[in-house]
Amino acid sequence: MAAVPPPSPPQVSVHPAVQPLSYLLGTWRGQGEGSFPTISPFKYSEELQFSHSPNKPVIAYSSKTWKLNSGEPMHSESGYWRPKNDGTIEVVVAQSNGLVEVQKGTYDAEQRSVKLKSALVGNASKVKEINRVFEMVNGELAYVVEMATNLTSLQTHLKALLKKI
Ligand code: HEM
């Protein structure tokens, strides 16, 4: 009987839709500052991960934060980034505080920037809108998160700078 050939190994590659954002793939660590007109400012450390299953047009995203001085866990969140070849991107995020987001926006592969605005914020008692901007600054990943609540217009809540490890 003729031998059955072994299955060919899966082709391991970054999906073309993910390629323009492949500089994000990996683990990033750094520090951030939180603020909002209604709260006391605070500092945090963060680990952020972007990972990719070969041949899928999706980047898995997760972020964990800790109080800078005590190391006590703070906010965490995870989700999926779904870039399209036309430069648009859709992101879904589930937050540890129960809030969910659908973000829509654009990326610029040359500038290495991603700009997102909430198309949907769900299960939130106060938050009405969330904007997120990610940029590369001197080889580091910088992001800013702005939010609007029922009482406060769009203002910065988070700013962070992370290095790839
Ligand atoms: C998009 C992500 C986030 C959203 C939508 C969000 C939302 C909020 C809201 C609605 C408040 C209350 C503001 C008010 O009462 O006027 C708040 C406060 C606060 N947030 Fe965030 N947050 C986010 C991310 C984070 C992260 C990453 C951290 C920690 C690193 C954090 C730490 C805090 C702290 C310490 C306060 C003040 C104390 C408190 O009310 O619990 N937040 N946030």
Side-chain angles (χ1 to χ4, degrees), residues 8-159:
S8 50
Q11 203 191 338
V12 176
S13 67
V14 174
H15 190 281
V18 168
Q19 189 60 51
L21 294 177
S22 57
Y23 65 90
L24 289 171
L25 298 174
T27 301
W28 300 81
R29 283 200 193 128
Q31 291 182 7
E33 290 179 3
S35 60
F36 206 61
T38 47
I39 65 171
S40 303
F42 59 93
K43 293 193 173 176
Y44 61 93
S45 55
E46 177 166 27
E47 183 173 298
L48 204 156
Q49 280 183 328
F50 291 99
S51 59
H52 172 54
S53 293
N55 296 321
K56 293 283 182 197
V58 179
I59 297 172
Y61 154 83
S62 71
S63 153
K64 284 185 181 174
T65 60
W66 296 266
K67 281 189 181 169
L68 188 60
N69 293 330
S70 65
E72 194 185 319
M74 293 183 89
H75 178 105
S76 64
E77 59 185 39
S78 63
Y80 297 96
W81 290 35
R82 306 175 55 80
K84 309 280 183 301
N85 282 325
D86 64 0
T88 62
I89 178 166
E90 182 182 295
V91 173
V92 292
V93 182
Q95 300 192 5
S96 55
N97 55 18
L99 184 153
V100 292
E101 289 169 69
V102 175
Q103 297 268 346
K104 294 199 176 179
T106 54
Y107 65 83
D108 184 325
E110 260 178 41
Q111 294 290 321
R112 297 194 161 184
S113 70
V114 182
K115 295 185 175 154
L116 302 169
K117 281 183 188 294
S118 52
L120 182 151
V121 174
N123 202 34
S125 54
K126 297 179 174 177
V127 183
K128 298 292 174 203
E129 230 179 296
I130 301 168
N131 287 352
R132 297 176 182 252
V133 174
F134 294 80
E135 282 171 324
M136 293 301 294
V137 177
N138 300 326
E140 297 192 349
L141 180 62
Y143 74 77
V144 175
V145 175
E146 294 177 322
M147 70 175 171
T149 63
N150 50 346
L151 298 178
T152 310
S153 62
L154 207 57
Q155 311 268 341
T156 300
H157 184 36
L158 307 166
K159 272 186 184 187

